[in-house]
Amino acid sequence: MNIDFSVVSARNEKLNNIRAALKTEFFGIDKQIDDIIESIKTWYLMPEIIRNILIVNLFGMSGVGKTALIRSLVNKLGFESKFVEIQMDGFSNGDATASKSICDIIESSSIKENEPGIILLDEFQRFRTINAMGQDIK
Protein backbone atom coordinates (compact mmCIF):
# COMPACT_ATOMS: atom_id res chain seq x y z
CA MET A 1 0.00 0.00 0.00
CA ASN A 2 1.45 3.35 -1.04
CA ILE A 3 0.36 6.38 0.91
CA ASP A 4 0.92 9.76 -0.71
CA PHE A 5 1.86 11.96 2.22
CA SER A 6 1.30 15.15 0.22
CA VAL A 7 -2.35 14.07 -0.15
CA VAL A 8 -2.54 13.25 3.57
CA SER A 9 -1.06 16.66 4.39
CA ALA A 10 -3.55 18.46 2.13
CA ARG A 11 -6.44 16.53 3.67
CA ASN A 12 -5.18 17.36 7.17
CA GLU A 13 -5.06 21.06 6.31
CA LYS A 14 -8.60 20.86 4.90
CA LEU A 15 -9.82 19.05 8.03
CA ASN A 16 -8.28 21.74 10.25
CA ASN A 17 -9.96 24.44 8.13
CA ILE A 18 -13.27 22.59 8.46
CA ARG A 19 -12.80 22.41 12.24
CA ALA A 20 -12.28 26.19 12.39
CA ALA A 21 -15.25 26.87 10.10
CA LEU A 22 -17.57 24.66 12.14
CA LYS A 23 -16.55 26.50 15.30
CA THR A 24 -17.65 29.79 13.74
CA GLU A 25 -20.91 28.25 12.55
CA PHE A 26 -21.92 26.52 15.80
CA PHE A 27 -21.86 28.20 19.21
CA GLY A 28 -20.76 26.54 22.45
CA ILE A 29 -19.79 23.12 21.11
CA ASP A 30 -16.10 23.62 20.31
CA LYS A 31 -15.05 20.57 22.34
CA GLN A 32 -17.62 18.39 20.60
CA ILE A 33 -16.41 19.63 17.21
CA ASP A 34 -12.83 18.81 18.22
CA ASP A 35 -13.93 15.34 19.36
CA ILE A 36 -15.73 14.64 16.07
CA ILE A 37 -12.81 15.84 13.96
CA GLU A 38 -10.37 13.72 15.98
CA SER A 39 -12.72 10.72 15.67
CA ILE A 40 -12.82 10.89 11.88
CA LYS A 41 -9.21 11.97 11.31
CA THR A 42 -7.72 8.63 10.24
CA TRP A 43 -10.88 7.74 8.29
CA TYR A 44 -10.58 10.98 6.31
CA LEU A 45 -6.80 11.33 6.04
CA MET A 46 -5.96 7.74 5.10
CA PRO A 47 -9.12 5.82 4.19
CA GLU A 48 -7.04 3.15 2.44
CA ILE A 49 -5.78 1.84 5.80
CA ILE A 50 -9.23 1.55 7.40
CA ARG A 51 -10.42 -2.07 7.60
CA ASN A 52 -13.48 -1.64 9.82
CA ILE A 53 -16.37 0.77 9.77
CA LEU A 54 -16.12 3.87 11.90
CA ILE A 55 -19.13 4.73 14.04
CA VAL A 56 -19.37 8.13 15.68
CA ASN A 57 -22.28 8.64 18.08
CA LEU A 58 -23.71 12.04 18.87
CA PHE A 59 -26.33 12.33 21.55
CA GLY A 60 -27.96 15.20 23.31
CA MET A 61 -31.18 17.09 23.75
CA SER A 62 -33.35 17.73 20.70
CA GLY A 63 -32.66 20.96 18.90
CA VAL A 64 -29.03 21.48 19.92
CA GLY A 65 -27.72 21.12 16.37
CA LYS A 66 -26.44 17.56 16.06
CA THR A 67 -28.01 16.94 12.66
CA ALA A 68 -27.13 20.41 11.38
CA LEU A 69 -23.53 19.86 12.47
CA ILE A 70 -23.26 16.59 10.55
CA ARG A 71 -24.92 18.05 7.45
CA SER A 72 -22.47 20.96 7.54
CA LEU A 73 -19.51 18.62 8.04
CA VAL A 74 -20.66 16.48 5.09
CA ASN A 75 -20.91 19.59 2.93
CA LYS A 76 -17.51 20.92 3.94
CA LEU A 77 -15.89 17.51 3.34
CA GLY A 78 -17.45 17.42 -0.12
CA PHE A 79 -19.24 14.16 0.70
CA GLU A 80 -22.74 15.14 -0.46
CA SER A 81 -22.68 12.38 -3.08
CA LYS A 82 -21.45 9.86 -0.49
CA PHE A 83 -24.02 10.67 2.18
CA VAL A 84 -27.35 9.19 3.12
CA GLU A 85 -29.57 10.42 5.94
CA ILE A 86 -32.04 7.96 7.41
CA GLN A 87 -34.76 9.07 9.78
CA MET A 88 -35.11 6.17 12.17
CA ASP A 89 -38.82 6.79 12.63
CA GLY A 90 -39.24 5.37 9.12
CA PHE A 91 -39.96 8.59 7.27
CA SER A 92 -36.61 9.61 5.79
CA ASN A 93 -37.00 11.81 2.73
CA GLY A 94 -40.77 11.95 3.05
CA ASP A 95 -42.91 8.82 2.81
CA ALA A 96 -40.79 7.29 0.03
CA THR A 97 -38.56 5.28 2.38
CA ALA A 98 -41.11 4.45 5.07
CA SER A 99 -41.47 0.86 3.81
CA LYS A 100 -37.77 0.28 3.08
CA SER A 101 -35.22 -1.31 5.36
CA ILE A 102 -31.98 0.45 6.25
CA CYS A 103 -30.14 -1.96 3.94
CA ASP A 104 -32.49 -1.10 1.06
CA ILE A 105 -31.96 2.62 1.60
CA ILE A 106 -28.17 2.28 1.71
CA GLU A 107 -28.09 -0.05 -1.32
CA SER A 108 -30.11 2.44 -3.35
CA SER A 109 -27.86 5.32 -2.27
CA SER A 110 -24.63 6.46 -3.93
CA ILE A 111 -22.53 4.96 -1.13
CA LYS A 112 -20.36 2.15 -2.44
CA GLU A 113 -18.92 -0.75 -0.48
CA ASN A 114 -15.22 -0.36 0.38
CA GLU A 115 -15.33 3.39 -0.28
CA PRO A 116 -15.66 6.16 2.31
CA GLY A 117 -19.22 7.27 2.89
CA ILE A 118 -21.34 8.77 5.64
CA ILE A 119 -24.61 7.35 6.93
CA LEU A 120 -26.60 9.44 9.37
CA LEU A 121 -29.10 7.49 11.46
CA ASP A 122 -31.16 10.35 12.86
CA GLU A 123 -33.91 10.38 15.48
CA PHE A 124 -32.67 7.04 16.76
CA GLN A 125 -34.88 7.34 19.83
CA ARG A 126 -37.85 6.78 17.48
CA PHE A 127 -36.39 3.60 15.95
CA ARG A 128 -38.92 0.93 15.27
CA THR A 129 -38.69 -2.63 14.06
CA ILE A 130 -41.43 -4.24 12.02
CA ASN A 131 -42.26 -7.84 11.27
CA ALA A 132 -42.93 -9.37 7.83
CA MET A 133 -46.52 -8.13 8.04
CA GLY A 134 -45.37 -4.54 8.55
CA GLN A 135 -46.53 -4.43 12.17
CA ASP A 136 -44.43 -2.88 14.92
CA ILE A 137 -42.47 -5.28 17.08
CA LYS A 138 -42.61 -3.97 20.63
Side-chain angles (χ1 to χ4, degrees), residues 59-115:
F59 57 92
M61 292 179 9
S62 295
V64 297
K66 299 176 299 293
T67 303
L69 174 62
I70 297 307
R71 288 176 181 159
S72 183
L73 176 62
V74 165
N75 180 270
K76 288 170 176 37
L77 288 171
F79 267 63
E80 298 92 343
S81 67
K82 302 174 187 179
F83 172 65
V84 63
E85 181 175 332
I86 302 171
Q87 295 296 321
M88 296 302 290
D89 60 3
F91 298 102
S92 179
N93 304 322
D95 290 333
T97 60
S99 63
K100 290 185 178 181
S101 71
I102 292 173
C103 288
D104 290 340
I105 295 168
I106 294 169
E107 285 177 2
S108 66
S109 77
S110 59
I111 294 177
K112 304 294 181 230
E113 192 171 341
N114 297 319
E115 292 181 14

